Amino acid sequence: MFDSTEALRATVRRFVDKELRPHVNEWEEAGTFPRALYRQAGELGLLALGFPEQDGGLPASYAQLQALNEELCRTGCGGLLASLFSHRIGAPPIVHGASAELRAHVLPAIYAGTAVSALAVTEPGGGSDVANLATSAVRDGDHYIVNGSKTFITSGMRADWITLAVRTGGPGAGGVSALLVPGDAPGLTRTPLRKMGWWCSDTAQLHFDQCRVPAANLLGAENAGFALLMRNFNDERLMLAMHACYLAQAALDEASEWAMQRKTFGQPLVRHQAVRHKLVDMATRIAATRAYIDSVVARLDGGGAAAAADAGLVAQVCMLKNFAAQTMQACADHAVQILGGMGFMRGTVAERVYRDVKVYMIGGGAEEILNDLAARQLGWH
């Protein structure tokens, strides 16, 4: 569908400028966005991008996914991107673990935007400790009976398909499986969650009470779901790093424009040295983060699946995600300071990025967890 990365970028830019940016503030205040956006993104091929062609996907390089995310972040709204593209973490275990029949039934609708996909791993008592999750699934004939709860689930309220991490065996990673749960499965209830940021992102707590799921919806082998879920996280962390960097750029763009136009003490705000220094500090941090992203993307595009599984690259992605989140945090703080009182007002990019930044420091693994994971990958344990 896209002849080049620049053709993709142009398509996404038009979509962002026409369909997203004019409405972001309205959707943030409403705490949601129209479900029709999924179909619009699907019709443009954006939801299929980066997935295998055999199930209706559009294969893409990491550089193309980078261009997609950079353009989307011009909205300055991470919550919109998190929910609209929640299939980027919900669908890969389906791609790699589902039967051909299940893939054919589920994936085309997800790519078309007529069905919404979510990933449900985190539990109220577990956080990022996936190996020790407690939600159970017990085989009962042609079904699994699921009991337990998940929390902080992006697209949890509206998801038609929930990729669910469950315990089917003994303790630890060796007893974890993955199930694909239909959104209308009996015994599934959902509760919306109110958040500090990402206001228009649908986030939910899920409860499974004797929830019956067809055994044919097992993803991969029973008790072998941990590896299937783990291979998902490297890409998730890379995408979070991209979002953090490019949302920081959106904050810089707004702060720069404000500094050029706003007058204080008879001259443009940018004429004050302290303001100029903040802008340069933001630009420096963003340039460094962009270079880090470019380096990781080049390694992934050059090395394929082997590169993605390389311990050194796993460590780099963990460090990159932390570094990008720190860049976003510093830039959000500077942007609000430059805008002054206006930076404290709803409706500015600076205000939105400032309250969103913490999720980028926690999502995909908190900073402390990723530092420890990186250290282990590098042999420092």
Side-chain angles (χ1 to χ4, degrees):
M1 178 176 291
F2 302 106
D3 296 331
S4 66
T5 300
E6 288 312 307
L8 166 65
R9 186 182 292 277
T11 296
V12 182
R13 181 167 287 248
R14 286 193 297 270
F15 179 58
V16 167
D17 288 341
K18 182 180 178 182
E19 305 294 345
L20 303 184
R21 289 183 75 181
H23 308 292
V24 163
N25 291 333
E26 171 191 343
W27 295 336
E28 280 283 277
E29 293 296 336
T32 188
F33 60 85
R35 190 178 173 112
L37 276 186
Y38 292 95
R39 187 185 294 271
Q40 290 177 272
E43 289 173 349
L44 293 173
L46 305 185
L47 303 185
L49 202 67
F51 289 95
E53 198 168 12
Q54 64 176 359
D55 300 309
L58 292 173
S61 66
Y62 280 92
Q64 288 177 310
L65 294 174
Q66 182 181 10
L68 169 72
N69 283 291
E70 184 172 13
E71 291 300 323
L72 289 169
C73 285
R74 292 174 52 248
T75 61
C77 186
L80 170 62
L81 310 187
S83 272
L84 185 57
F85 288 85
S86 61
H87 74 296
R88 295 219 63 87
I89 56 174
I94 306 172
V95 171
H96 299 298
S99 66
E101 293 78 11
L102 188 57
R103 292 200 313 270
H105 178 57
V106 171
L107 291 173
I110 291 174
Y111 299 153
T114 57
V116 176
S117 168
L119 177 69
V121 175
T122 303
E123 298 185 347
S128 298
D129 190 4
V130 180
N132 289 309
L133 61 85
T135 297
S136 65
V138 177
R139 185 70 180 261
D140 179 30
D142 293 335
H143 288 78
Y144 283 96
I145 308 301
V146 180
N147 287 283
S149 295
K150 300 291 181 178
T151 195
F152 311 141
I153 307 307
T154 300
S155 293
M157 292 302 296
R158 60 174 35 158
D160 301 291
W161 295 103
I162 300 165
T163 301
L164 181 70
V166 294
R167 182 160 303 286
T168 49
V176 173
S177 296
L179 285 175
L180 186 61
V181 181
D184 59 358
L188 167 63
T189 55
R190 324 185 198 203
T191 305
L193 299 175
R194 295 170 62 84
K195 310 175 294 297
M196 175 195 296
W198 275 12
W199 289 352
C200 71
S201 173
D202 157 18
T203 310
Q205 180 156 322
L206 310 180
H207 185 67
F208 302 88
D209 183 10
Q210 296 294 108
C211 180
R212 296 182 65 83
V213 180
N217 286 23
L218 180 68
L219 304 178
E222 189 173 280
N223 298 326
F226 186 79
L228 189 64
L229 295 164
M230 287 300 102
R231 69 184 294 175
N232 216 23
F233 288 155
N234 218 35
D235 275 0
E236 179 187 5
R237 289 163 185 156
L238 177 57
M239 297 307 152
L240 286 169
M242 290 180 183
H243 286 185
C245 178
Y246 304 141
L247 288 169
Q249 181 68 59
L252 172 58
D253 291 343
E254 181 185 63
S256 173
E257 183 179 358
W258 178 265
M260 298 292 286
Q261 295 179 358
R262 173 72 166 172
K263 289 188 176 181
T264 60
F265 304 100
Q267 60 183 349
L269 192 60
V270 76
R271 295 290 296 276
H272 299 285
Q273 185 183 57
V275 172
R276 293 199 301 275
H277 285 189
K278 280 184 168 59
L279 292 171
V280 170
D281 183 63
M282 294 169 74
T284 303
R285 292 172 186 268
I286 292 168
T289 310
R290 282 180 177 275
Y292 202 162
I293 292 171
D294 290 346
S295 172
V296 169
V297 165
R299 285 184 64 183
L300 284 166
D301 278 340
D310 179 73
L313 190 59
V314 171
Q316 289 297 320
V317 171
C318 289
M319 294 187 290
L320 168 59
K321 187 263 183 180
N322 282 348
F323 187 71
Q326 291 162 7
T327 292
M328 182 180 176
Q329 184 182 48
C331 291
D333 184 73
H334 282 341
V336 170
Q337 198 72 18
I338 290 169
L339 267 68
M342 187 55 68
F344 196 64
M345 296 295 105
R346 291 186 184 184
T348 63
V349 171
E351 181 268 341
R352 193 158 55 242
V353 171
Y354 190 89
R355 59 176 156 80
D356 282 356
V357 68
K358 269 301 172 183
V359 76
Y360 289 93
M361 306 190 85
I362 297 168
E367 183 173 325
E368 296 81 2
I369 292 171
L370 295 192
N371 276 339
D372 195 56
L373 176 57
R376 290 175 179 274
Q377 296 294 316
L378 295 170
W380 299 329
H381 60 92

